Amino acid sequence: MPGARVESIVVYTTRVEECRAFYAGLGLEFTRERHGEGSEHYAAVLDGGGVFEIYPATPTRVTGALRIGLVVDGTGLPPGRRTLRDPDGRTVVVGP
């Protein structure tokens, strides 16, 4: 049966550094990037090869309501499933 995998998740925010710190606290390892004349942003490679990116918002590029589910290891969070909110109020479900 054919499958799908996440290639990329891009979050646009006016709180780039706060969001980077939040997701880094969940175990994502970010590098700063810029492609050509594009915006400087952060990218983290996920298990399976997908990329999670945080870009600065613009008047035409803002991420609204979004629910993100992440399986993370070594975050220092107690075991179990948790529902958190990132700095922009997006729901982030973290669990094993």
Side-chain angles (χ1 to χ4, degrees), residues 49-83:
V51 179
F52 187 99
E53 296 179 305
I54 301 171
Y55 272 82
T58 67
T60 59
R61 293 204 176 202
V62 177
T63 302
L66 179 67
R67 181 181 172 116
I68 301 169
L70 298 172
V71 175
V72 296
D73 297 316
T75 64
L77 292 173
R81 194 169 178 87
R82 304 261 182 270
T83 300

Side-chain angles (χ1 to χ4, degrees), residues 3-33:
R5 67 179 176 80
V6 173
E7 179 183 336
S8 65
I9 297 170
V10 179
V11 171
Y12 295 94
T13 179
T14 58
R15 299 177 174 135
V16 172
E17 290 302 326
E18 292 94 332
C19 284
R20 184 206 54 77
F22 173 84
Y23 289 103
L26 297 177
L28 279 72
E29 295 181 19
F30 289 97
T31 56
R32 192 175 295 206
E33 294 185 344

Side-chain angles (χ1 to χ4, degrees), residues 33-41 53 55:
E33 294 185 344
R34 176 175 286 190
H35 308 291
E37 297 296 317
S39 300
E40 188 172 274
H41 61 281
E53 296 179 305
Y55 272 82

